[in-house]
Amino acid sequence: MRGWCAVARPCHPPPCSWVPSRAVRHARLPPRPAGYQELRTGTEIAYHRARELLPALERAQRQLSAAQAPANAAASRLTACNREVERLQAQAAELGAAVDARLARALGSLPAATHALALQHAACLLEGLRAELGPACVRWAVLPAQRLPHDASLPVGAQLLAQSACLELAGGERRAVTALVLSGELLLPPSDADWDVRLHWAAAGWQPPPEGWCTHPPRSQPAPGSNAWETPLLRHHPVLQGGEVCALASLHSCLVQVPLAGPHPGLQFVLRRGHDWVKAEHAHDFWVDLVPAATRLEARGAGDAASGAGGVDAAALLATDGLGEWDWAEGMVQRPGAGGESDGTVDTRWAPGAEPPAAEPPLPAWVLGCKVWAGAGPRDPGPEAPGAARRRADQLLGLARALDPGLARDCVALCDLRAREERAEEALRAAAAENEAQQRTLTAVGDETLALDQEVARAMAAARKGVASLRGRLTEVTQRDLEGLAGHVAVGAGAGADGPWRGLPLLRAVIPVPAAGPSHVPVSAPGGPAYVRQVSAPLAGLDAAVLAQVYADESEMVVGIAVAEAFPDGALGPGLVVHWGLVSHQHGTWQPAPHGCSCDAPARGLDRGACTDVPLAQFNLYAEDGSPVFVDPVLNAAVIRLPRAGLHGMAGLEFLLRSEDGRWMPVLAPHGGGRSNCFIPLHC
């Protein structure tokens, strides 16, 4: 078989073409291995496998290219939709803050507005019961409402109110009815005021209530292990004058009706939210005193009996809504203890001579217009659900219409803006779904393309290794190739041309830093620089190596540097640069290049102080017949010329390689020394 060798030629004009000597061109290959035929067959199989996969890889690449445009378009639509949503959200947030501020001013005070709604709701509950009783109720009087301070178990702004009324039925039975109202702060989102609250109640001293009691809603259940009963508080929303339900006002309420019997008629209770108990201040139980109602009915009964001869009109008695002038002295009571007896604590609100409670201020017109109360509808999905902002704007609009027509116009604009925002969010969700689908398609096609590309690369790598083995090499580029190229760029074509080829592998794991010089002794050209030494080292993280040869004459020292991959695959990339400096000892401080330093290629950064950048030129390998061994440039080389007069006190040269994209490429130090700069001794 005809011998083969490789020569290096530059990628651009060939004046630096590397032509080995006659002895090298006719060097014989090593004897064939025992498994030569098997090696050739395996190489052919790998080659044909790569050829078979290429059409599928090309189809996958076309599909990947076709899928890229829709994926990019979907991503652009998603970005545009997201920007539109952010713009509308900013506008709506600004307008919403202005509407909230005007609404707060129109309401005057949120706690006062919340209390006014609770008063109106309690009055409507009692009035509804009176209307339901009809002519069966011969006497009716309403007591003033009581605010019941509570502990911190309820949310901030929540208020608890109780209002009682006393009545007498046609048969002479006397009863008291208490409306208990728990209200969340006005403007609280419906989802935040959706409380599951139960009234845990009994008579004074936690005794069983008297026979004949009833509740609304009629769903009371006995509390296990006690005399108490539990009644759920139903949730209601006021219906404004315009017929719109104000969901921003949530009130939980129930009615408890008991016969006026016993020495201390009243209701003792606490509230239960799930497993949490809500009590009065200082961890006391709540107490609603019904003694004033009993006293007042007795006083009215006596007055009615005294005036019976005068023919008092029963309809006039029935029309009496309030207690009128109340005899507060007769209402003095003491709070009952655990057993029903007095605990000695006088309720000063009913003490003799005490002033009656201050009259409640008149209710606002929009509150008085709330005559109907709607039960709780479907559970509010909460502020995180789609459309929450639009729903709140609609709720604000209904309240604004009842307060101020000018404010209603701003709310209409806010509702329109929120509706546009909701439509934009729907478009955003659709764009996100489309983008996700396109990205899944792109990922699937990309994964298929990558898998085929990797399989083709493995087949080609196997074929390349087989071809290199058939040519008597373990790798495509050997250390001998780097030696010849380094000598060529340093002193010309004659250097390093003689001597036998050694197919030393360029693998990181097996390339040592030669201790005894190169694999052959280069022959210096007559009258040219003499060979001094050679240094080689693998590059960290790459299947590649760098090799430098040093030559010297009386006036200068010449350093030729060559770099290549074992199986060139573009990992080094174009635009490699040697970043170097002089040192007085290994790992020492870099010193500036001496005056008169030069390189064959235009150097960059010669005036950068201690560091100098020299670009590497690219070369290719050529066979004896002149055909390139590889299609692309695969070897990189540079030369540095240093005047000996400027090297006084300098022990050597250190350098690093840097890629065009700024990636640094240190070498692996011998004997497991880690990553470091490459050091080249310069002394002869």
Side-chain angles (χ1 to χ4, degrees):
M1 186 180 79
R2 182 180 177 84
W4 179 91
C5 66
V7 296
R9 295 181 186 173
C11 300
H12 299 292
C16 297
S17 60
W18 170 26
V19 181
S21 67
R22 183 181 182 85
V24 174
R25 283 203 301 270
H26 295 286
R28 295 179 60 84
L29 289 173
R32 294 178 180 178
Y36 174 80
Q37 189 59 43
E38 291 81 0
L39 180 61
R40 180 173 180 176
T41 301
T43 302
E44 291 177 349
I45 291 174
Y47 170 75
H48 289 298
R49 175 60 179 165
R51 289 288 300 270
E52 290 174 359
L53 291 173
L54 281 177
L57 176 59
E58 292 173 354
R59 285 194 301 271
Q61 289 174 340
R62 287 194 297 270
Q63 292 175 357
L64 180 61
S65 178
Q68 191 69 50
N72 291 341
S76 299
R77 283 192 295 273
L78 178 62
T79 302
C81 290
N82 193 50
R83 289 175 180 171
E84 178 66 10
V85 167
E86 290 177 351
R87 184 183 68 83
L88 292 173
Q89 284 177 342
Q91 293 180 0
E94 182 179 359
L95 182 57
V99 168
D100 286 344
R102 288 191 59 186
L103 191 61
R105 288 195 298 269
L107 290 172
S109 167
L110 287 182
T114 303
H115 180 63
L117 278 174
L119 285 174
Q120 178 68 0
H121 184 52
C124 290
L125 288 176
L126 295 175
E127 191 64 30
L129 177 62
R130 179 182 178 183
E132 182 181 340
L133 292 174
C137 179
V138 295
R139 290 185 179 85
W140 174 273
V142 179
L143 278 70
Q146 304 176 47
R147 292 192 185 189
L148 303 178
H150 54 80
D151 59 16
S153 302
L154 289 175
V156 176
Q159 298 185 19
L160 184 61
L161 178 142
Q163 187 166 22
S164 300
C166 52
L167 59 96
E168 183 176 344
L169 300 178
E173 182 183 3
R174 295 176 178 178
R175 289 178 164 273
V177 57
T178 300
L180 188 70
V181 180
L182 174 62
S183 56
E185 188 175 47
L186 188 61
L187 304 184
L188 192 68
S191 57
D192 294 347
D194 191 3
W195 307 326
D196 180 16
V197 185
R198 293 181 176 273
L199 175 67
H200 184 89
W201 67 279
W206 292 105
Q207 297 300 312
E211 293 293 334
W213 62 268
C214 62
T215 62
H216 179 80
R219 298 202 297 267
S220 299
Q221 295 179 343
S226 70
N227 296 322
W229 289 78
E230 288 197 349
T231 304
L233 272 65
L234 298 185
R235 185 182 180 193
H236 298 85
H237 301 296
V239 179
L240 303 174
Q241 285 179 321
E244 299 181 10
V245 177
C246 182
L248 296 177
S250 296
L251 301 100
H252 300 72
S253 62
C254 71
L255 284 174
V256 179
Q257 187 179 162
V258 295
L260 287 173
H264 296 286
L267 297 178
Q268 193 166 357
F269 68 92
V270 292
L271 299 178
R272 183 168 66 85
R273 292 180 60 198
H275 298 289
D276 298 328
W277 296 98
V278 180
K279 294 192 174 186
E281 291 179 317
H282 311 298
H284 291 163
D285 299 336
F286 293 106
W287 169 251
V288 175
D289 205 337
L290 299 179
V291 171
T295 305
R296 182 55 179 166
L297 282 180
E298 291 175 0
R300 278 202 168 183
D304 294 344
S307 60
V312 177
D313 187 0
L317 289 176
L318 189 62
T320 304
D321 263 347
L323 292 177
E325 294 297 330
W326 186 265
D327 188 355
W328 294 92
E330 292 181 346
M332 189 272 290
V333 296
Q334 290 182 321
R335 295 183 185 273
E341 69 281 358
S342 171
D343 65 356
T345 304
V346 177
D347 188 344
T348 56
R349 292 177 299 174
W350 310 103
E355 292 293 331
E360 293 283 354
L363 298 182
W366 71 274
V367 174
L368 290 174
C370 299
K371 300 294 185 181
V372 180
W373 300 81
R379 182 179 295 271
D380 189 271
E384 301 300 328
R390 179 189 55 78
R391 286 193 297 273
R392 177 169 175 80
D394 293 339
Q395 294 159 0
L396 287 174
L397 176 59
L399 185 57
R401 284 173 176 164
L403 289 171
D404 180 5
L407 180 58
R409 286 192 294 271
D410 289 345
C411 283
V412 169
L414 179 61
C415 289
D416 178 65
L417 199 55
R418 289 300 189 186
R420 291 167 54 196
E421 177 189 342
E422 186 173 356
R423 291 193 296 270
E425 289 176 346
E426 291 177 359
L428 177 62
R429 288 191 290 271
E434 181 186 2
N435 180 68
E436 184 178 357
Q438 292 292 345
Q439 292 300 326
R440 281 198 303 267
T441 301
L442 184 64
T443 301
V445 176
D447 291 345
E448 181 183 0
T449 303
L450 179 61
L452 286 171
D453 184 68
Q454 291 175 344
E455 192 170 354
V456 170
R458 285 193 295 268
M460 287 299 299
R464 291 173 70 176
K465 290 181 180 179
V467 170
S469 299
L470 291 173
R471 291 173 173 174
R473 298 169 168 232
L474 294 180
T475 55
E476 288 179 338
V477 178
T478 66
Q479 181 167 324
R480 179 65 182 84
D481 299 328
L482 293 178
E483 291 172 356
L485 180 57
H488 168 72
V489 297
V491 296
D498 295 324
W501 285 92
R502 289 188 183 180
L504 295 181
L506 201 61
L507 300 176
R508 183 192 318 161
V510 297
I511 291 187
V513 176
S519 57
H520 68 288
V521 179
V523 177
S524 302
Y531 170 81
V532 177
R533 67 175 45 83
Q534 174 176 298
V535 174
S536 65
L539 293 180
L542 293 170
D543 190 9
V546 59
L547 183 143
Q549 288 186 349
V550 182
Y551 294 83
D553 59 14
E554 294 181 356
S555 62
E556 67 177 1
M557 302 197 75
V558 184
V559 180
I561 300 173
V563 184
E565 298 175 73
F567 289 90
D569 200 21
L572 293 176
L576 282 179
V577 170
V578 178
H579 183 75
W580 66 276
L582 296 175
V583 292
S584 59
H585 58 86
Q586 189 172 4
H587 307 307
T589 303
W590 287 20
Q591 304 297 325
H595 180 72
C597 172
S598 65
C599 62
D600 289 351
R604 297 195 294 270
L606 288 178
D607 57 347
R608 291 175 55 188
C611 304
T612 304
D613 289 348
V614 176
L616 280 81
Q618 291 187 315
F619 293 80
N620 206 334
L621 288 178
Y622 284 78
E624 282 185 312
D625 58 3
S627 62
V629 177
F630 309 112
V631 176
D632 299 321
V634 293
L635 290 91
N636 303 270
V639 62
I640 301 173
R641 304 183 186 278
L642 302 167
R644 300 189 69 166
L647 298 179
H648 179 70
M650 297 294 103
L653 177 150
E654 282 191 1
F655 70 89
L656 279 173
L657 295 178
R658 189 181 71 241
S659 65
E660 190 174 33
D661 57 2
R663 180 166 45 97
W664 293 99
M665 302 178 186
V667 300
L668 288 177
H671 312 299
R675 303 183 177 203
S676 67
N677 303 337
C678 188
F679 175 71
I680 306 174
L682 294 179
H683 56 81
C684 299

